[in-house]
Amino acid sequence: MIARTSRIRRLASSGAVFGGVFGSALLSFFANDAHAEDVDPEAGDFADGTTDVKSLETRNKRELASWVASRPPEPYVYPERDLTLGAAWGPLFDAFDKGSGALVASTLIPHFGVTILGGTPQATLAWPWSFPLGPKLSATRDYRKFDVYVYRPFRLIFEPILVVGDEIRFALRPGIRFLHHPSTWPVGIGAGVGANLTLAAKGGSAIAVSPEAVVQIGRCCRPSYITLAIRPDIFVTGETSFVFSTHVGFTYF
């Protein structure tokens, strides 16, 4: 029991040190990239803070209305059915072409990682579906485009997890996450907390408190990022007392 407790403390200490050093390095490296004036003007428009975001959205609507008014009128064209081999396959592929491909990929493709359970690494697959919440703190607009992408800092998380090792474990992790990602940063950093509800294939269940550190790679604010999550799961019921895990994959928000 003493040896197990010592191992748990060493894992927790290592995870805390790694997270602190990694987070500090990221903040230091990207601190000088937080100003829009350092960005190529042809990269588009950037806004941070609710007032600036609202101003960008208002200006975008005004400029779009002006552009539409300047366009010559177009004759009406009756829409024909888009059929392939006699079936409506066209609209399905049009959805991917119009940006839904990234949304489908982020929903279906798992994140890959490792879970350290009882000192033994085990393969992990996770599907961290997220839903943005909160005020519009950042926004971007592509150069010569009229699409404004806004960024909300909070995420509701619903995450199915599959751990494959000595035995198969399935878990559900509801939670909430905060990500700080200014409009000109190539990464966002944040943290979250959740509840890990685990069910083992051989029977038995457990519940854990699950804090996490998160790094989101990709320039704000257009959706599609690579996200890395590092977390300890501190179990309050069941036989397992401590689990350390990390995974990385593609997320839409």
Side-chain angles (χ1 to χ4, degrees):
M1 179 66 180
I2 295 176
R4 181 180 181 183
T5 303
S6 178
R7 183 169 63 250
I8 292 171
R9 289 175 178 173
R10 287 199 302 271
L11 287 170
S13 177
S14 299
V17 171
F18 174 78
V21 172
F22 188 53
S24 299
L26 283 171
L27 280 173
S28 176
F29 183 78
F30 294 110
N32 294 328
D33 194 34
H35 302 286
E37 58 265 25
D38 298 331
V39 180
D40 182 356
E42 293 191 359
D45 294 295
F46 302 85
D48 290 292
T50 55
T51 300
D52 287 348
V53 170
K54 185 177 180 180
S55 177
L56 176 57
E57 289 183 311
T58 301
R59 177 160 57 91
N60 182 71
K61 290 180 181 178
R62 184 173 63 250
E63 292 174 355
L64 176 57
S66 176
W67 181 83
V68 170
S70 69
R71 304 294 295 173
E74 296 183 4
Y76 176 77
V77 178
Y78 184 81
E80 297 181 1
R81 290 192 302 162
D82 186 0
L83 301 179
T84 302
L85 298 177
W89 292 105
L92 174 64
F93 294 104
D94 285 345
F96 283 87
D97 183 58
K98 294 177 181 178
S100 296
L103 181 59
V104 173
S106 65
T107 303
L108 300 181
I109 298 176
H111 290 208
F112 298 92
V114 61
T115 295
I116 300 177
L117 179 62
T120 303
Q122 302 188 33
T124 302
L125 300 177
W127 291 263
W129 300 322
S130 63
F131 309 91
L133 296 172
K136 302 174 183 178
L137 292 188
S138 298
T140 58
R141 183 177 68 167
D142 292 343
Y143 182 57
R144 292 181 177 176
K145 296 287 183 67
F146 296 107
D147 297 315
V148 175
Y149 300 96
V150 299
Y151 187 86
R152 301 176 186 271
F154 293 97
R155 305 282 185 275
L156 279 181
I157 303 294
F158 183 77
E159 181 176 0
I161 303 169
L162 184 65
V163 180
V164 182
D166 298 334
E167 64 175 319
I168 296 177
R169 292 173 175 264
F170 177 74
L172 286 176
R173 183 182 180 276
I176 189 167
R177 175 182 291 175
F178 174 83
L179 282 163
H180 179 61
H181 200 157
S183 62
T184 58
W185 282 26
V187 301
I189 55 176
V193 65
N196 191 316
L197 315 175
T198 300
L199 178 65
K202 297 181 180 179
S205 60
I207 301 175
V209 177
S210 180
E212 64 178 358
V214 185
V215 176
Q216 185 182 67
I217 303 171
R219 188 172 294 278
C220 181
C221 297
R222 179 192 291 268
S224 296
Y225 305 93
I226 299 297
T227 301
L228 169 69
I230 303 171
R231 65 175 67 121
D233 290 333
I234 305 167
F235 284 84
V236 295
T237 66
E239 297 181 359
T240 302
S241 59
F242 183 87
V243 170
F244 179 81
S245 65
T246 181
H247 59 69
V248 62
F250 178 70
T251 54
Y252 190 74
F253 293 113

